[in-house]
Short mmCIF file of all heavy atoms in Angstrom, two decimals:
data_model
loop_
_atom_site.label_atom_id
_atom_site.label_comp_id
_atom_site.label_asym_id
_atom_site.label_seq_id
_atom_site.Cartn_x
_atom_site.Cartn_y
_atom_site.Cartn_z
N VAL A 1388 9.07 -0.77 -9.18
CA VAL A 1388 8.05 -0.90 -10.22
C VAL A 1388 7.09 0.28 -10.25
O VAL A 1388 6.09 0.26 -10.97
CB VAL A 1388 7.26 -2.22 -10.06
CG1 VAL A 1388 8.18 -3.42 -10.26
CG2 VAL A 1388 6.58 -2.30 -8.69
N GLY A 1389 7.38 1.33 -9.46
CA GLY A 1389 6.59 2.55 -9.52
C GLY A 1389 5.57 2.69 -8.42
O GLY A 1389 5.62 2.01 -7.38
N ASN A 1390 4.61 3.59 -8.63
CA ASN A 1390 3.56 3.86 -7.66
C ASN A 1390 2.49 2.78 -7.68
O ASN A 1390 2.21 2.17 -8.72
CB ASN A 1390 2.89 5.21 -7.95
CG ASN A 1390 3.81 6.39 -7.66
OD1 ASN A 1390 4.61 6.34 -6.73
ND2 ASN A 1390 3.69 7.45 -8.45
N VAL A 1391 1.84 2.58 -6.53
CA VAL A 1391 0.71 1.68 -6.44
C VAL A 1391 -0.36 2.34 -5.57
O VAL A 1391 -0.04 3.03 -4.59
CB VAL A 1391 1.12 0.31 -5.84
CG1 VAL A 1391 1.66 0.46 -4.42
CG2 VAL A 1391 -0.03 -0.67 -5.86
N GLU A 1392 -1.62 2.17 -5.95
CA GLU A 1392 -2.72 2.71 -5.17
C GLU A 1392 -3.17 1.71 -4.11
O GLU A 1392 -2.99 0.50 -4.27
CB GLU A 1392 -3.90 3.07 -6.08
CG GLU A 1392 -3.59 4.19 -7.05
CD GLU A 1392 -4.79 4.57 -7.90
OE1 GLU A 1392 -5.61 5.37 -7.42
OE2 GLU A 1392 -4.91 4.05 -9.02
N ALA A 1393 -3.77 2.21 -3.05
CA ALA A 1393 -4.18 1.36 -1.92
C ALA A 1393 -5.14 0.26 -2.35
O ALA A 1393 -5.09 -0.86 -1.84
CB ALA A 1393 -4.81 2.21 -0.83
N ARG A 1394 -6.02 0.54 -3.32
CA ARG A 1394 -7.00 -0.45 -3.74
C ARG A 1394 -6.38 -1.66 -4.44
O ARG A 1394 -7.01 -2.71 -4.60
CB ARG A 1394 -8.03 0.19 -4.67
CG ARG A 1394 -7.46 0.69 -6.00
CD ARG A 1394 -8.51 1.36 -6.84
NE ARG A 1394 -7.97 1.88 -8.09
CZ ARG A 1394 -8.67 2.54 -9.00
NH1 ARG A 1394 -9.96 2.79 -8.76
NH2 ARG A 1394 -8.12 2.97 -10.11
N GLU A 1395 -5.11 -1.53 -4.87
CA GLU A 1395 -4.43 -2.62 -5.58
C GLU A 1395 -3.52 -3.44 -4.68
O GLU A 1395 -2.93 -4.43 -5.12
CB GLU A 1395 -3.59 -2.04 -6.73
CG GLU A 1395 -4.40 -1.31 -7.79
CD GLU A 1395 -5.34 -2.22 -8.55
OE1 GLU A 1395 -5.06 -3.44 -8.64
OE2 GLU A 1395 -6.37 -1.73 -9.06
N LEU A 1396 -3.40 -3.07 -3.41
CA LEU A 1396 -2.43 -3.72 -2.53
C LEU A 1396 -2.62 -5.23 -2.43
O LEU A 1396 -1.64 -5.98 -2.40
CB LEU A 1396 -2.50 -3.10 -1.13
CG LEU A 1396 -1.93 -1.69 -0.98
CD1 LEU A 1396 -2.11 -1.19 0.44
CD2 LEU A 1396 -0.46 -1.65 -1.37
N LEU A 1397 -3.87 -5.68 -2.35
CA LEU A 1397 -4.14 -7.11 -2.13
C LEU A 1397 -4.21 -7.90 -3.43
O LEU A 1397 -4.59 -9.07 -3.43
CB LEU A 1397 -5.44 -7.28 -1.35
CG LEU A 1397 -5.51 -6.57 0.01
CD1 LEU A 1397 -6.81 -6.92 0.73
CD2 LEU A 1397 -4.32 -6.92 0.89
N ASN A 1398 -3.84 -7.26 -4.54
CA ASN A 1398 -3.92 -7.92 -5.85
C ASN A 1398 -2.58 -8.47 -6.34
O ASN A 1398 -2.46 -8.89 -7.48
CB ASN A 1398 -4.48 -6.95 -6.90
CG ASN A 1398 -5.94 -6.60 -6.62
OD1 ASN A 1398 -6.66 -7.35 -5.98
ND2 ASN A 1398 -6.37 -5.44 -7.12
N GLY A 1399 -1.57 -8.42 -5.48
CA GLY A 1399 -0.28 -9.00 -5.84
C GLY A 1399 0.54 -8.18 -6.81
O GLY A 1399 1.34 -8.72 -7.57
N VAL A 1400 0.38 -6.85 -6.78
CA VAL A 1400 1.08 -5.98 -7.73
C VAL A 1400 2.54 -5.73 -7.33
O VAL A 1400 3.33 -5.23 -8.13
CB VAL A 1400 0.36 -4.63 -7.89
CG1 VAL A 1400 -0.99 -4.82 -8.54
CG2 VAL A 1400 0.21 -3.92 -6.54
N ALA A 1401 2.90 -6.06 -6.10
CA ALA A 1401 4.28 -5.84 -5.64
C ALA A 1401 4.61 -6.83 -4.53
O ALA A 1401 3.72 -7.39 -3.89
CB ALA A 1401 4.46 -4.41 -5.15
N ASP A 1402 5.90 -7.04 -4.31
CA ASP A 1402 6.36 -7.90 -3.22
C ASP A 1402 6.70 -7.09 -1.97
O ASP A 1402 6.70 -7.61 -0.86
CB ASP A 1402 7.60 -8.68 -3.66
CG ASP A 1402 7.33 -9.53 -4.88
OD1 ASP A 1402 6.43 -10.39 -4.81
OD2 ASP A 1402 8.02 -9.33 -5.91
N VAL A 1403 6.99 -5.80 -2.19
CA VAL A 1403 7.32 -4.87 -1.10
C VAL A 1403 6.62 -3.55 -1.39
O VAL A 1403 6.70 -3.05 -2.51
CB VAL A 1403 8.84 -4.63 -0.98
CG1 VAL A 1403 9.14 -3.61 0.12
CG2 VAL A 1403 9.58 -5.94 -0.70
N VAL A 1404 5.94 -3.00 -0.39
CA VAL A 1404 5.28 -1.70 -0.55
C VAL A 1404 5.79 -0.77 0.55
O VAL A 1404 5.79 -1.13 1.73
CB VAL A 1404 3.74 -1.82 -0.45
CG1 VAL A 1404 3.09 -0.44 -0.51
CG2 VAL A 1404 3.20 -2.72 -1.55
N VAL A 1405 6.26 0.43 0.14
CA VAL A 1405 6.80 1.37 1.12
C VAL A 1405 5.89 2.59 1.23
O VAL A 1405 5.28 3.03 0.26
CB VAL A 1405 8.23 1.81 0.77
CG1 VAL A 1405 9.15 0.61 0.76
CG2 VAL A 1405 8.29 2.52 -0.57
N THR A 1406 5.81 3.12 2.45
CA THR A 1406 5.02 4.31 2.73
C THR A 1406 5.48 4.90 4.06
O THR A 1406 6.27 4.29 4.78
CB THR A 1406 3.52 3.99 2.76
OG1 THR A 1406 2.76 5.19 2.93
CG2 THR A 1406 3.19 3.05 3.93
N ASP A 1407 4.97 6.09 4.39
CA ASP A 1407 5.29 6.67 5.70
C ASP A 1407 4.50 5.95 6.78
O ASP A 1407 3.49 5.29 6.51
CB ASP A 1407 4.97 8.16 5.70
CG ASP A 1407 3.49 8.43 5.53
OD1 ASP A 1407 3.04 8.52 4.36
OD2 ASP A 1407 2.78 8.54 6.54
N GLY A 1408 4.96 6.07 8.03
CA GLY A 1408 4.35 5.33 9.13
C GLY A 1408 2.91 5.68 9.41
O GLY A 1408 2.11 4.79 9.75
N PHE A 1409 2.53 6.93 9.27
CA PHE A 1409 1.15 7.34 9.53
C PHE A 1409 0.22 6.69 8.52
O PHE A 1409 -0.79 6.08 8.88
CB PHE A 1409 1.03 8.87 9.45
CG PHE A 1409 -0.36 9.38 9.74
CD1 PHE A 1409 -0.75 9.67 11.03
CD2 PHE A 1409 -1.28 9.54 8.71
CE1 PHE A 1409 -2.03 10.14 11.31
CE2 PHE A 1409 -2.56 10.00 8.97
CZ PHE A 1409 -2.93 10.31 10.27
N THR A 1410 0.56 6.80 7.23
CA THR A 1410 -0.27 6.22 6.18
C THR A 1410 -0.30 4.70 6.28
O THR A 1410 -1.35 4.07 6.15
CB THR A 1410 0.26 6.64 4.79
OG1 THR A 1410 0.29 8.06 4.71
CG2 THR A 1410 -0.63 6.09 3.69
N GLY A 1411 0.86 4.10 6.52
CA GLY A 1411 0.94 2.65 6.61
C GLY A 1411 0.08 2.09 7.71
O GLY A 1411 -0.60 1.07 7.53
N ASN A 1412 0.10 2.75 8.87
CA ASN A 1412 -0.71 2.28 9.99
C ASN A 1412 -2.20 2.41 9.68
O ASN A 1412 -2.98 1.51 10.00
CB ASN A 1412 -0.36 3.06 11.26
CG ASN A 1412 -1.00 2.47 12.49
OD1 ASN A 1412 -2.06 2.90 12.92
ND2 ASN A 1412 -0.35 1.47 13.07
N ALA A 1413 -2.58 3.52 9.03
CA ALA A 1413 -3.99 3.72 8.67
C ALA A 1413 -4.45 2.66 7.66
O ALA A 1413 -5.56 2.12 7.77
CB ALA A 1413 -4.18 5.12 8.10
N VAL A 1414 -3.60 2.35 6.69
CA VAL A 1414 -3.94 1.33 5.69
C VAL A 1414 -4.06 -0.04 6.34
O VAL A 1414 -4.99 -0.81 6.05
CB VAL A 1414 -2.88 1.30 4.57
CG1 VAL A 1414 -3.05 0.08 3.67
CG2 VAL A 1414 -2.96 2.57 3.74
N LEU A 1415 -3.12 -0.36 7.24
CA LEU A 1415 -3.16 -1.65 7.94
C LEU A 1415 -4.46 -1.81 8.72
O LEU A 1415 -5.13 -2.85 8.64
CB LEU A 1415 -1.97 -1.77 8.90
CG LEU A 1415 -1.94 -3.01 9.79
CD1 LEU A 1415 -1.78 -4.27 8.97
CD2 LEU A 1415 -0.82 -2.89 10.83
N LYS A 1416 -4.85 -0.76 9.47
CA LYS A 1416 -6.07 -0.83 10.25
C LYS A 1416 -7.31 -0.93 9.34
O LYS A 1416 -8.29 -1.59 9.69
CB LYS A 1416 -6.18 0.40 11.16
CG LYS A 1416 -5.06 0.53 12.19
CD LYS A 1416 -5.10 -0.60 13.20
CE LYS A 1416 -3.88 -0.59 14.13
NZ LYS A 1416 -3.73 0.64 14.89
#
């Protein structure tokens, strides 16, 4: 479904979000 910004992650815009491990870990924290 395309790109998604970090601020939209918790709004239910996707069922699966992919990113590199460095960015993903930073977003999770």
